[in-house]
Amino acid sequence: MARGSGDGKRTQNNVYRDKSKPEDIRSSNMTAAKAVADAVRTSLGPKGMDKMIQSGNGDVTITNDGATILKQMNVMHPAAKLLVELSQAQDVEAGDGTTTVVIIAGALLEAAERLLHRGLHPTTISDAFREAAVKAIEIVRGMSVPVQLTDKESLVKSASTALNSKVVSQHATSLAPLAVHAVLKVVDPKNDSNVDLKDIKVIKKLGGTVEDTELIEGLVFTNKSANINGPKRLEKVKIGLIQFCISPPKTDMEHGVVVSDYTAMDRILKEERAYILNIAKQIKKAGCNLLLVQKSILRDALSDLAVHFFDKLKIMVVKDIEREDIDFICKTLGCRPIASVDHFVAENLSSAELVEEVQTGSSRFVKVTGIQNPGRTVTILVRGSNNLVLEEADRSIHDALCVVRSLVKERALIAGGGAPETEIALKLAQYAQTVVGVESYCLREYANALEIIPSTLAENAGLNPVSTVTELRNRHAQGESTAGINVRKGAITNILEENVVQPLLVSTSAITLATETVRSILKIDDIVNTTS
């Protein structure tokens, strides 16, 4: 009987090599990653289901955003974690398509598994998939339509498509134009090729409905003014932003002061009063009537006595401004923070038309509008009747902003509704026939895998996935490259006419990132545990 029968074999130097282990590891990785893809599959599309996620501390989240679902899932398997990171990478790159990218990766893993069972080597499959991804992006670019940032209608359509699959989809008509307006406010359409979303501050306030969400060209402070009897509304405002405390100073070292009599105590209080009054008078002398105070970690930034003086001097004060908000405030007001009372002069102040304290539900906030020489920043005030709706509205607006950002990065649109994936599948299958050898098998499997998107869209909309995808494939074979699944009518229609469009970057990014992740998983043949 020949030696080395079974899965293992002996090499010339008589060392036993186990061939089954790499196969088991690869199979385990693929199974774990596909399980993650299956978990979010039902969330795809306008008719996709939502997930209720309960964290360990009892907090509940309701969402169908792929990145949010996966980020909050307790994923243990290292290969499954790759898919969680994949959805986060898509979120950073394009902001939308986080569910799509994971579903595509899951389908490509199934395709790779079928090819491995046929005896193909993982490296061969990996190289063929890379070529297929390049060809797929070439095909999808060929069906894209250029868009200008001046064409607001197309931008709104694209943002609406992203919002239609969210919990707050019924408010898409009001949120989509708001997101477009916000991005166009902070970019220079001629020169900019990216958008810094830090220039768009999103503030959440409980109370009202999502329809009450508004875009404010100015500043909003989430806390109310520190004044007790001071002004609640001021016009022709002079604003000063300070980084020093208006409270009794402390020494640098630990100390104790023993007061033996009332005269010494009176002297201390008198000195404290004179010290704070001097600062308050200097602020008033500079013409400031709105004072913004950065939060201090060493002591209270504003003493009760200081608040009393500012009330008397009719100066509105907003305290406890976080350090990370200072850059945004400076950019919006066109000013610099003042670090010492000696530098508090009129030249370092900025101006605005109006500041007012606004009541919303059970809370108050301060709103500054009509800023002179404003920077390229805006604030979106998101409203919601409860925390679940408020959080989901915030995530949805972020996705809509990212979609418009994608169009600033790459100014082209493509049809949605499964149209690009079907077109790629068809053209890639045709290209596979021109290729010889095992590569042709790989390309064909890659093409078939992409049909998971139209199939899932149809399934989630309650349509027959087999007949729907067959009809869709047939329409694309006849040259209708923009034919897609209209989930509202339950039929195949020209999806561009239905205004279902998405940025080119969302599709190209999803294909590239999903292929890279699948290739990474394919190349793994062992899992090594380290001691540290």
Side-chain angles (χ1 to χ4, degrees):
M1 189 173 71
R3 284 190 305 168
S5 59
D7 283 336
K9 67 173 185 178
R10 290 187 186 276
T11 53
Q12 288 177 338
N13 56 0
N14 221 26
V15 177
Y16 186 77
R17 295 285 298 278
D18 186 4
K19 279 178 71 180
S20 66
K21 189 182 179 185
E23 288 172 14
D24 292 344
I25 295 287
R26 210 169 280 122
S27 174
S28 161
N29 286 347
M30 287 181 170
T31 305
K34 283 191 297 181
V36 170
D38 287 341
V40 294
R41 208 180 139 185
T42 54
S43 301
L44 185 73
K47 300 279 184 176
M49 295 294 174
D50 302 330
K51 301 276 186 264
M52 181 182 272
I53 305 158
Q54 188 167 2
S55 62
N57 58 5
D59 289 344
V60 174
T61 307
I62 297 174
T63 183
N64 63 1
D65 179 59
T68 308
I69 295 166
L70 294 176
K71 191 162 53 178
Q72 299 203 20
M73 272 171 65
N74 187 16
V75 177
M76 300 300 291
H77 197 286
K81 282 180 182 173
L82 284 177
L83 259 69
V84 176
E85 287 165 12
L86 167 66
S87 72
Q88 286 166 5
Q90 175 75 3
D91 202 25
V92 169
E93 180 65 25
D96 193 26
T98 51
T99 309
T100 305
V101 73
V102 175
I103 294 170
I104 290 174
L108 289 176
L109 284 168
E110 274 191 29
E113 205 165 29
R114 285 194 293 272
L115 291 166
L116 286 168
H117 286 156
R118 286 184 176 184
L120 270 68
H121 194 276
T123 309
T124 310
I125 301 168
S126 174
D127 293 344
F129 275 15
R130 182 182 58 193
E131 188 189 337
V134 172
K135 191 71 183 168
I137 287 166
E138 197 182 295
I139 294 163
V140 86
R141 280 190 196 283
M143 63 181 290
S144 65
V145 181
V147 66
Q148 299 298 321
L149 293 186
T150 49
D151 182 6
K152 284 190 183 177
E153 194 183 337
S154 292
L155 302 186
V156 171
K157 284 178 191 173
S158 191
S160 295
T161 304
L163 290 169
N164 280 340
S165 63
K166 306 295 177 194
V167 175
V168 292
S169 58
Q170 67 269 31
H171 303 293
T173 48
S174 59
L175 295 181
L178 187 137
V180 170
H181 190 190
V183 172
L184 294 181
K185 269 282 174 192
V186 302
V187 294
D188 177 2
K190 290 178 183 173
N191 304 323
D192 287 355
S193 60
N194 202 350
V195 182
D196 187 359
L197 291 182
K198 287 179 184 171
D199 293 341
I200 302 169
K201 193 166 185 64
V202 180
I203 291 175
K204 297 173 286 187
K205 271 287 172 188
L206 200 59
T209 64
V210 178
E211 283 177 354
D212 298 327
T213 298
E214 59 179 322
L215 184 75
I216 297 165
E217 291 178 31
L219 272 176
V220 172
F221 300 101
T222 49
N223 37 359
K224 63 178 185 177
S225 65
N227 305 70
I228 297 168
N229 299 314
K232 301 298 179 189
R233 188 178 190 277
L234 292 168
E235 292 180 6
K236 305 293 180 194
V237 194
K238 289 284 182 183
I239 308 165
L241 173 61
I242 63 168
Q243 291 183 313
F244 57 87
C245 299
I246 309 174
S247 56
K250 284 184 176 180
T251 59
D252 291 339
M253 58 186 183
E254 288 294 325
H255 70 292
V257 177
V258 178
V259 181
S260 55
D261 57 4
Y262 285 114
T263 54
M265 186 186 249
D266 285 347
R267 194 166 71 248
I268 290 170
L269 293 171
K270 202 172 179 182
E271 285 289 332
E272 182 185 320
R273 187 181 177 86
Y275 172 79
I276 291 172
L277 185 59
N278 177 45
I279 296 174
K281 280 182 175 176
Q282 196 156 336
I283 288 168
K284 185 66 178 176
K285 186 182 172 186
C288 172
N289 55 358
L290 174 60
L291 189 66
L292 309 176
V293 187
Q294 184 181 326
K295 191 174 186 177
S296 172
I297 55 169
L298 298 174
R299 58 190 167 121
D300 194 10
L302 205 65
S303 70
D304 293 343
L305 190 58
V307 172
H308 169 71
F309 287 140
F310 287 132
D311 283 352
K312 294 281 188 192
L313 295 168
K314 297 284 183 281
I315 297 172
M316 188 189 280
V317 184
V318 178
K319 67 171 187 174
D320 290 346
I321 292 169
E322 297 291 345
R323 174 68 194 89
E324 55 264 26
D325 294 336
I326 295 292
D327 290 342
F328 180 83
I329 292 167
C330 291
K331 193 170 185 179
T332 306
L333 296 175
C335 70
R336 285 184 308 179
I338 302 164
S340 161
V341 72
D342 301 330
H343 299 134
F344 202 98
V345 289
E347 297 85 71
N348 290 337
L349 304 182
S350 56
S351 307
E353 288 296 318
L354 178 70
V355 58
E356 57 184 332
E357 191 175 284
V358 183
Q359 175 82 38
T360 165
S362 59
S363 62
R364 291 174 172 271
F365 62 89
V366 176
K367 184 163 78 170
V368 183
T369 50
I371 297 163
Q372 289 181 9
N373 308 317
R376 284 183 174 273
T377 62
V378 291
T379 303
I380 296 174
L381 185 65
V382 185
R383 308 293 298 280
S385 55
N386 59 55
N387 275 319
L388 293 175
V389 173
L390 195 62
E391 293 290 338
E392 186 61 11
D394 177 32
R395 282 189 288 271
S396 302
I397 286 171
H398 174 263
D399 278 8
L401 291 170
C402 287
V403 162
V404 186
R405 183 188 66 176
S406 297
L407 290 170
V408 175
K409 280 184 178 180
E410 193 158 354
R411 299 176 189 190
L413 283 169
I414 54 169
E421 289 81 11
T422 311
E423 185 70 7
I424 294 167
L426 190 76
K427 295 272 179 72
L428 206 54
Q430 290 170 0
Y431 173 69
Q433 291 175 350
T434 64
V435 179
V436 292
V438 291
E439 202 178 320
S440 173
Y441 280 115
C442 300
L443 291 173
R444 207 171 302 135
E445 284 287 359
Y446 189 100
N448 292 340
L450 288 178
E451 287 187 349
I452 188 75
I453 297 297
S455 173
T456 305
L457 277 174
E459 205 174 302
N460 290 350
L463 307 173
N464 184 328
V466 176
S467 61
T468 306
V469 172
T470 306
E471 190 189 340
L472 188 59
R473 199 185 298 149
N474 186 33
R475 294 278 283 272
H476 277 260
Q478 291 168 12
E480 295 181 42
S481 62
T482 56
I485 300 170
N486 185 336
V487 293
R488 287 197 167 81
K489 292 180 181 173
I492 308 295
T493 58
N494 183 343
I495 215 75
L496 277 185
E497 290 174 3
E498 303 289 337
N499 298 333
V500 179
V501 288
Q502 65 186 43
L504 173 63
L505 186 69
V506 172
S507 280
T508 54
S509 168
I511 290 165
T512 308
L513 293 172
T515 308
E516 279 179 7
T517 303
V518 170
R519 291 182 65 219
S520 300
I521 293 171
L522 268 174
K523 291 282 188 79
I524 297 165
D525 74 341
D526 202 355
I527 296 172
V528 180
N529 293 320
T530 59
T531 52
S532 58

